[in-house]
Amino acid sequence: MSFSAEVRDELARCEPKCEYCDLATLAALVRVCGTLSFAGPGRYRLQIATETGAVARTMIGLTHKILKLKTEFTVRKSVLHKVRNYLIALPDQPDLGKALVLLGILDRHGALVRGVPHHVVARDCCRLAYIRGALIAGGFVADPKGDFHLEIAVQGEEFARGLAGLIGELGINARVNPRRASFAVYIKSADDIKKLLTLAGASRCVAEIEEARAVKSVKNEVNRRVNAELANQTRSAGAAQRQMELIGELEHLGLRDGLPQALEDFCLLREANPDLSLRDLGHLADPPLSKSALYHRVLRLEKMVEGARDR
């Protein structure tokens, strides 16, 4: 099961906070993944097609519980993709038109409602239930082992911005991005995704996100330290190579025989250990020397070479 399917399944099992929350959840389900057909004045047919069992289960259960309407249920299997497709249909029946008004799909004049129906989300708990329904119907949550991303695919810009506004009222930054034939309400921040799923009721999936974030944090810290160590080793190796070249130039200029003892000791130590950093080289000196002390000896050698070049 994908992580998105886990989130949808957990959200579909949440209990309503008030008597109207189930209506809000059902309204969002129908709005996000339903298709309404007009068969004539006052005659309608509503279809919901989904590959998610949680959507089908929630849709049928709430339709029977709240609307008391007849449903037709068909399970199809794609030969190409080898996945099940669930088709729930509400055929034309006497109370279907009233139900569509109740759900905020149609207004009282029979026109389509393009935004979020205000009467459905009048209470705070119902707003959350509506968002939960939208997540169950069209939500995608990326596997937290990869990049953090949550989005809800919907039809209609006005509805997309209305849904993003509902999420924004929770203190969560949701944006709208147009797609080829739809709109995506999306969230990129891991903290915002965690907050939304926590409020919506997916606490078990939030725990998985927390675990994935902890693992990522450890991996990033290890990678940072490894990269820093490799960079230090590269710099040390380059510096050691330049010091070996400096010693070679001293000999070429005839300066090696007259070096002070401290500088000659450094040259011998470096020649015996051409790959060590100055810090490690200092540990081998007798008595041990600091990295700063050895570095000053390198500077003295460089000045001697530069002086000999200028003459």
Side-chain angles (χ1 to χ4, degrees), residues 15-18 20-29 120-121 123-136 199-200:
E15 294 295 328
K17 297 294 184 181
C18 80
Y20 301 107
C21 284
D22 278 343
L23 176 65
T25 299
L26 180 59
L29 278 169
V120 175
V121 295
R123 301 185 180 190
D124 290 342
C125 57
C126 292
R127 292 190 192 102
L128 268 177
Y130 196 86
I131 294 169
R132 184 186 304 122
L135 283 166
I136 295 170
L199 291 172

Side-chain angles (χ1 to χ4, degrees), residues 76-85:
R76 300 174 294 186
K77 189 170 183 179
S78 170
V79 177
L80 179 61
H81 301 291
K82 297 181 180 180
V83 294
R84 289 183 178 180
N85 184 278

Side-chain angles (χ1 to χ4, degrees), residues 197-214:
L197 293 181
T198 299
L199 291 172
S203 56
R204 177 172 50 81
C205 291
V206 169
E208 290 188 40
I209 292 176
E210 287 283 16
E211 182 179 353
R213 289 186 73 183

Side-chain angles (χ1 to χ4, degrees), residues 78 86 133 223 309:
S78 170
Y86 305 96
N223 288 336
R309 287 173 182 164

Side-chain angles (χ1 to χ4, degrees), residues 264-301:
E264 176 60 22
D265 289 344
F266 169 79
C267 291
L268 293 173
L269 198 59
R270 171 52 75 196
E271 287 174 326
N273 303 276
D275 300 323
L276 292 183
S277 65
L278 283 180
R279 185 183 303 277
D280 293 336
L281 203 64
H283 295 326
L284 300 180
D286 186 19
L289 298 170
S290 67
K291 175 182 176 181
S292 177
L294 292 182
Y295 182 66
H296 280 90
R297 296 186 186 190
V298 173
L299 292 178
R300 289 172 62 188
L301 292 174

Side-chain angles (χ1 to χ4, degrees), residues 38-67:
F38 294 86
R43 299 183 62 190
Y44 313 98
R45 179 179 176 84
L46 180 65
Q47 288 187 322
I48 293 88
T50 178
E51 294 178 358
T52 306
V55 175
R57 183 176 66 249
T58 305
M59 179 66 197
I60 293 174
L62 293 182
T63 300
H64 291 168
K65 176 183 175 182
I66 300 170
L67 305 179

Side-chain angles (χ1 to χ4, degrees), residues 6-308:
E6 289 183 34
V7 171
R8 291 178 177 183
D9 186 70
E10 185 175 9
L11 291 176
R13 300 177 190 277
C14 291
E15 294 295 328
K17 297 294 184 181
C18 80
E19 58 183 318
Y20 301 107
C21 284
D22 278 343
L23 176 65
T25 299
L26 180 59
L29 278 169
V30 173
R31 183 63 180 79
V32 172
C33 62
T35 301
L36 182 63
S37 303
F38 294 86
R43 299 183 62 190
Y44 313 98
R45 179 179 176 84
L46 180 65
Q47 288 187 322
I48 293 88
T50 178
E51 294 178 358
T52 306
V55 175
R57 183 176 66 249
T58 305
M59 179 66 197
I60 293 174
L62 293 182
T63 300
H64 291 168
K65 176 183 175 182
I66 300 170
L67 305 179
K68 313 296 184 184
L69 293 177
K70 174 186 175 183
T71 59
E72 298 171 351
F73 180 60
T74 306
V75 180
R76 300 174 294 186
K77 189 170 183 179
S78 170
V79 177
L80 179 61
H81 301 291
K82 297 181 180 180
V83 294
R84 289 183 178 180
N85 184 278
Y86 305 96
L87 180 64
I88 304 102
L90 278 69
D92 182 43
Q93 48 196 296
D95 292 329
L96 181 55
K98 294 179 182 178
L100 293 172
V101 174
L102 182 64
L103 294 171
I105 306 301
L106 299 178
D107 63 19
R108 294 180 180 179
H109 304 289
L112 288 170
V113 176
R114 298 190 178 278
V116 175
H118 298 295
H119 73 276
V120 175
V121 295
R123 301 185 180 190
D124 290 342
C125 57
C126 292
R127 292 190 192 102
L128 268 177
Y130 196 86
I131 294 169
R132 184 186 304 122
L135 283 166
I136 295 170
F140 167 80
V141 187
D143 190 324
K145 295 184 180 68
D147 294 332
F148 293 107
H149 182 80
L150 179 150
E151 71 173 49
I152 306 171
V154 301
Q155 299 292 324
E157 182 175 5
E158 188 174 345
F159 178 73
R161 298 202 178 280
L163 183 58
L166 284 185
I167 297 172
E169 291 177 13
L170 303 174
I172 296 168
N173 184 23
R175 300 181 180 181
V176 176
N177 186 34
R179 297 285 172 83
R180 183 174 300 176
S182 63
F183 290 84
V185 179
Y186 71 95
I187 303 170
K188 298 290 287 184
S189 163
D191 288 331
D192 280 348
I193 292 172
K194 189 180 73 170
K195 182 177 180 180
L196 179 60
L197 293 181
T198 299
L199 291 172
S203 56
R204 177 172 50 81
C205 291
V206 169
E208 290 188 40
I209 292 176
E210 287 283 16
E211 182 179 353
R213 289 186 73 183
V215 172
K216 278 186 182 180
S217 178
V218 171
K219 286 184 177 179
N220 290 339
E221 179 62 19
V222 170
N223 288 336
R224 186 190 67 78
R225 292 187 179 185
V226 169
N227 291 336
E229 183 63 26
L230 288 175
N232 288 336
Q233 290 178 3
T234 300
R235 286 194 295 269
S236 295
Q241 178 61 34
R242 289 191 295 273
Q243 291 159 21
M244 289 294 293
E245 293 171 356
L246 179 62
I247 293 170
E249 192 165 0
L250 283 168
E251 292 181 347
H252 177 72
L253 293 171
L255 301 174
R256 180 70 181 268
D257 293 339
L259 287 177
Q261 189 60 47
L263 298 184
E264 176 60 22
D265 289 344
F266 169 79
C267 291
L268 293 173
L269 198 59
R270 171 52 75 196
E271 287 174 326
N273 303 276
D275 300 323
L276 292 183
S277 65
L278 283 180
R279 185 183 303 277
D280 293 336
L281 203 64
H283 295 326
L284 300 180
D286 186 19
L289 298 170
S290 67
K291 175 182 176 181
S292 177
L294 292 182
Y295 182 66
H296 280 90
R297 296 186 186 190
V298 173
L299 292 178
R300 289 172 62 188
L301 292 174
E302 288 176 345
K303 287 182 180 180
M304 290 178 64
V305 169
E306 289 174 2

